[in-house]
Amino acid sequence: QVQLVESGGGLVQAGDSLRLSCVASGRSFNTFEKAWFRQFPGKERQVVAEITWSGAITEYADAVKGRFTITRDNAKDTVYLQMNDLKFEDTGVYYCAARRPVQGATYKDWGQGTQVVVSS
């Protein structure tokens, strides 16, 4: 079974840090672009950070620039999201996703999500 499995979420206080991990199993996603999304209750899922297959290029949502860092370890087929200086508004379910590195490709492979709760 092909799947992406997130971990690392939890309950933290504002200003704390968390590192999320997403491990692939069932097939290799090493050549795929990867991303972290988050979803707030009652809201649509939004992209937080993206990374190319080589890790050379990363992009971030404005709300997390300077606080979050996306990295990947292709030897472990794992993508990480280091989240520093967490804020109440970072609370949500975080999902990792993968897509083929071709123009127009969409994210079709998703994890089940990991909950992050930041208390103010």
Side-chain angles (χ1 to χ4, degrees):
Q1 181 179 359
V2 177
Q3 57 181 350
L4 299 170
V5 181
E6 302 97 335
S7 62
L11 172 63
V12 297
Q13 293 185 336
D16 286 351
S17 299
L18 278 176
R19 189 175 82 152
L20 306 182
S21 300
C22 174
V23 181
S25 66
R27 65 160 296 171
S28 173
F29 287 95
N30 284 340
T31 61
F32 282 49
E33 297 177 342
K34 294 182 178 177
W36 287 96
F37 287 73
R38 67 185 179 189
Q39 187 168 23
F40 305 119
K43 302 291 185 180
E44 292 186 355
R45 199 172 296 185
Q46 297 178 327
V47 64
V48 173
E50 298 177 284
I51 189 167
T52 54
W53 72 269
S54 67
I57 300 174
T58 57
E59 295 185 355
Y60 298 92
D62 288 342
V64 305
K65 283 181 181 177
R67 299 188 298 122
F68 290 12
T69 303
I70 185 171
T71 57
R72 65 190 296 162
D73 183 343
N74 286 339
K76 298 180 179 179
D77 212 345
T78 300
V79 62
Y80 304 97
L81 185 67
Q82 178 66 43
M83 305 187 295
N84 298 330
D85 189 23
L86 282 161
K87 305 179 186 299
F88 174 75
E89 51 265 36
D90 293 319
T91 295
V93 180
Y94 284 71
Y95 300 88
C96 69
R99 69 180 179 187
R100 296 185 182 277
V102 296
Q103 192 167 1
T106 58
Y107 290 100
K108 294 184 177 181
D109 294 286
W110 294 84
Q112 81 291 347
T114 185
Q115 178 78 50
V116 172
V117 178
V118 184
S119 61
S120 57

